[in-house]
Amino acid sequence: MVYIIVLLLFGGAGLILYMLKEAFLNRLVLHEMTFEDFPSSFGEVSIFFISDIHKRLISNDIVDKVKGKADIVIIGGDLTERKVPFERVKENLEKLKQLGPVYFVWGNNDYETDYHKLDAILLSYGVKILDNTAAIFESANGDKLSLLGVDALNQGRDRLDLALLDAGDDSFKVLVSHYPTITKKIVPEHDIRLVLSGHTHGGQIHIFGYSPYEKGKVEKLENTTLLISNGYGTTGVPLRLGAPAECHLITIKHG
């Protein structure tokens, strides 16, 4: 509410309309990532990554842009939140399933709902829940790609050690965590090459360039590469400024 008052004082109705537009964009960000140790036997692997859907209904524009281009689909947490009807969750899952096999990690807002019911819905739609576990893909040559996921950090549910144990040692590792701060728990010995995260909404609203969180980005860290998404939906107010709504199509290959 304070955000809206400040913005009305300094920008007026025109700015509010612009912020509504940024909040409901269907922006697909393309990333091409190369890694020297990515097994060339996989060729290219394409991941559609969407996080922080919250109250939004995924647009058919996004479905049309991604259809036929993604090998796997990852929901990076906050698929829903308190008071969002489960029928909307089901509609979003039906759309995502058109794009490829779907994987999910828990976010903090997912636990605001009847999360036992949410868990049952995800399973009924064939969604693989990565709750401190890993999914392993194997190429024709026997090379392995591991997709790891950890549960929500804010509730102390994350067990990166269990996900790593599930993944094994001899695979190229991609970790999905709703919270980007999982990187503080990663050490070189884990050999996690890429982390996909959300949660921060890229700050969502930047007033005079300031927000509690940075805008979404891809960053090379000492121990891994981190992608933080601005997210697709909003929390609190349905407005964005300086951190437009987005989802991602990530292509990983050897190079």
Side-chain angles (χ1 to χ4, degrees):
M1 190 62 184
V2 174
Y3 269 140
I4 296 175
I5 293 170
V6 171
L7 291 162
L8 282 171
L9 286 172
F10 289 95
L15 181 56
I16 296 294
L17 289 173
Y18 176 79
M19 293 173 71
L20 279 167
K21 180 181 177 183
E22 282 214 321
F24 290 94
L25 286 176
N26 290 298
R27 180 168 170 253
L28 180 65
V29 183
L30 306 179
H31 307 269
E32 187 173 283
M33 299 185 178
T34 57
F35 298 88
E36 291 182 357
D37 56 344
F38 184 76
S40 56
S41 60
F42 279 104
E44 297 181 350
V45 173
S46 294
I47 299 170
F48 176 62
F49 179 65
I50 185 168
S51 72
D52 301 279
I53 297 171
H54 290 280
K55 300 182 183 73
R56 280 193 77 176
L57 183 63
I58 296 171
S59 168
N60 289 330
D61 289 344
I62 289 294
V63 175
D64 292 340
K65 287 176 183 177
V66 178
K67 192 176 288 185
K69 298 177 181 176
D71 296 307
I72 57 176
V73 175
I74 300 173
I75 305 169
D78 286 2
L79 168 61
T80 186
E81 63 176 49
R82 183 184 294 113
K83 296 183 179 180
V84 173
F86 281 114
E87 289 306 311
R88 187 176 307 166
V89 173
K90 291 177 182 177
E91 192 170 348
N92 279 333
L93 290 175
E94 286 170 1
K95 291 186 175 188
L96 292 175
K97 278 180 63 67
Q98 297 178 46
L99 306 178
V102 183
Y103 297 81
F104 168 86
V105 296
W106 293 93
N108 54 303
N109 290 112
D110 296 311
Y111 283 109
E112 295 178 354
T113 65
D114 181 347
Y115 59 89
H116 295 296
K117 184 173 182 179
L118 177 57
D119 184 81
I121 289 170
L122 290 165
L123 292 174
S124 72
Y125 276 84
V127 176
K128 170 66 175 176
I129 301 171
L130 298 172
D131 47 355
N132 304 319
T133 56
I136 300 174
F137 308 89
E138 190 168 336
S139 72
N141 289 6
D143 294 317
K144 294 179 181 178
L145 166 64
S146 294
L147 181 62
L148 298 77
V150 291
D151 211 333
L153 272 74
N154 72 317
Q155 300 187 26
R157 296 174 180 265
D158 62 299
R159 288 291 304 272
L160 179 57
D161 58 322
L162 295 180
L164 286 163
L165 188 64
D166 206 23
D169 296 325
D170 57 341
S171 63
F172 183 92
K173 298 180 182 68
V174 176
L175 172 65
V176 188
S177 167
H178 183 63
Y179 287 81
T181 49
I182 190 65
T183 54
K184 295 178 181 178
K185 300 187 178 186
I186 296 174
V187 297
E189 290 75 23
H190 292 157
D191 201 25
I192 294 170
R193 308 297 285 118
L194 176 64
V195 177
L196 306 178
S197 66
H199 179 63
T200 66
H201 293 220
Q204 190 165 314
I205 296 174
H206 294 254
I207 298 178
F208 304 120
Y210 174 77
S211 176
Y213 295 106
E214 292 181 292
K215 298 175 185 179
K217 59 184 177 180
V218 176
E219 183 178 7
K220 184 73 173 74
L221 304 178
E222 183 179 356
N223 296 327
T224 192
T225 297
L226 171 65
L227 183 152
I228 306 176
S229 176
N230 286 342
Y232 188 69
T234 55
T235 188
V237 293
L239 301 171
R240 285 181 175 270
L241 184 63
E246 64 185 15
C247 46
H248 310 263
L249 186 61
I250 305 158
T251 301
I252 305 173
K253 62 183 182 179
H254 177 82

